[in-house]
Amino acid sequence: MILELDCGNSFIKWRVLAANARQVMGEGVVDSDLALLDGVRAIEGLSLVFCRLVSVRTAEETASLTALLSATFGVSAVCAAPALEMSGVRNGYESFERLGLDRWLAMLGGFHLAAGACLVLDFGTAVTADFIAPDGEHLGGFICPGMPLMRNQLRTHTRKIRYGDVAAERALESLVPGRTTVEAVERGCLLMLRGFVMTQLELARSYWGENFVVFLTGGDADLVSEVVPEARVVPDLVFVGLAMACPLS
């Protein structure tokens, strides 16, 4: 079996694949290394032979996790690394090694699936947009706060904004003007997010007309999917790129 990990700043997304890499045997999202071990251990008939991961954590945190995986499961993790060019995609950053690895892998996956120009929109703690031209040239991208960051900033800096996750979820059942604080905050943040998406689409059209593919990925992708009905929602787009960056052989 193959263990794949996407280690973000806040959460670890994981999945275990069958040996042929075609079947998902188990998956989850956890907030700690120990929770990861518990989730993976729970898979029936677990027998790991390979592990690959992408991490945006510090080198020390990543090394601690890989050591834990080795001690627990007896596998050495192969970590995705920055590259100037890979699988037909050329990194567009002035210092290519400073581009977030999760963004880089999502771009590899998107260009592979699109076989041409694409716009990759990733909705996590932060939201990222990246533009990949038909020849694989990365034109650059944008980063802005995602829903978690926007709501947490308002909660932190405005004393009277206090509500839980259940109230937040209910508030997004409609987008009419809010009549409570939670409705006003959640709906306002979502409209800002959707406005960001629309500007990215306009820019992509200015480059390529209608000849490009839009990919939505990340935990909050569903919040914007209805304003981009033509988009392909690929929750595991980073894992598509990870398989390309860290092949089994």
Side-chain angles (χ1 to χ4, degrees):
M1 294 180 179
I2 304 160
L3 174 61
E4 297 184 325
L5 305 174
D6 178 3
C7 305
N9 291 307
S10 303
F11 299 99
I12 301 174
K13 185 174 183 180
W14 65 272
R15 70 179 187 179
V16 171
L17 305 179
N20 61 10
R22 295 177 182 175
Q23 181 182 359
V24 177
M25 309 302 292
E27 59 187 339
V29 178
V30 294
D31 60 2
S32 71
D33 293 355
L34 294 180
L36 168 65
L37 299 186
D38 290 341
V40 175
R41 281 196 195 102
I43 296 176
E44 185 176 352
L46 181 70
S47 178
L48 296 178
V49 297
F50 190 78
C51 175
R52 55 191 172 204
L53 67 83
V54 54
S55 175
V56 297
R57 298 178 168 191
T58 66
E60 292 75 16
E61 289 173 323
T62 303
S64 175
L65 175 59
T66 57
L68 189 60
L69 292 171
S70 178
T72 305
F73 301 116
V75 291
S76 298
V78 178
C79 301
L84 179 59
E85 188 167 358
M86 182 177 290
S87 300
V89 180
R90 184 173 180 81
N91 194 314
Y93 258 32
E94 293 180 358
S95 300
F96 74 88
E97 66 277 1
R98 297 186 64 85
L99 176 67
L101 277 172
D102 50 351
R103 287 174 63 192
W104 174 239
L105 296 185
M107 286 191 289
L108 294 182
F111 187 73
H112 171 72
L113 294 177
C118 59
L119 167 62
V120 177
L121 299 169
D122 192 339
F123 300 88
T125 303
V127 173
T128 61
D130 285 289
F131 298 78
I132 302 93
D135 62 358
E137 185 74 20
H138 174 220
L139 304 182
F142 298 96
I143 304 174
C144 74
M147 287 291 286
L149 280 179
M150 285 193 283
R151 75 163 62 92
N152 287 341
Q153 282 295 303
L154 286 168
R155 285 174 173 173
T156 300
H157 296 287
T158 308
R159 292 183 180 178
K160 292 185 178 181
I161 296 180
R162 295 289 184 273
Y163 56 84
D165 293 339
V166 174
E169 186 175 341
R170 289 176 180 168
L172 293 178
E173 293 174 355
S174 168
L175 283 180
V176 300
R179 296 173 66 88
T180 64
T181 299
V182 60
E183 290 177 352
V185 169
E186 291 296 313
R187 295 171 188 178
C189 289
L190 178 54
L191 289 174
M192 288 188 69
L193 201 61
R194 290 184 173 185
F196 174 81
V197 170
M198 299 310 293
T199 62
Q200 307 312 298
L201 291 173
E202 290 176 7
L203 183 55
R205 291 187 182 111
S206 75
Y207 289 144
W208 310 306
E210 299 297 330
N211 298 317
F212 65 97
V213 179
V214 183
F215 291 98
L216 306 180
T217 191
D220 284 333
D222 287 343
L223 293 178
V224 301
S225 58
E226 69 179 59
V227 299
V228 199
E230 72 276 18
R232 294 178 61 178
V233 180
V234 185
D236 295 327
L237 191 59
V238 168
F239 285 146
V240 175
L242 180 60
M244 299 164 67
C246 304
L248 296 178
S249 57

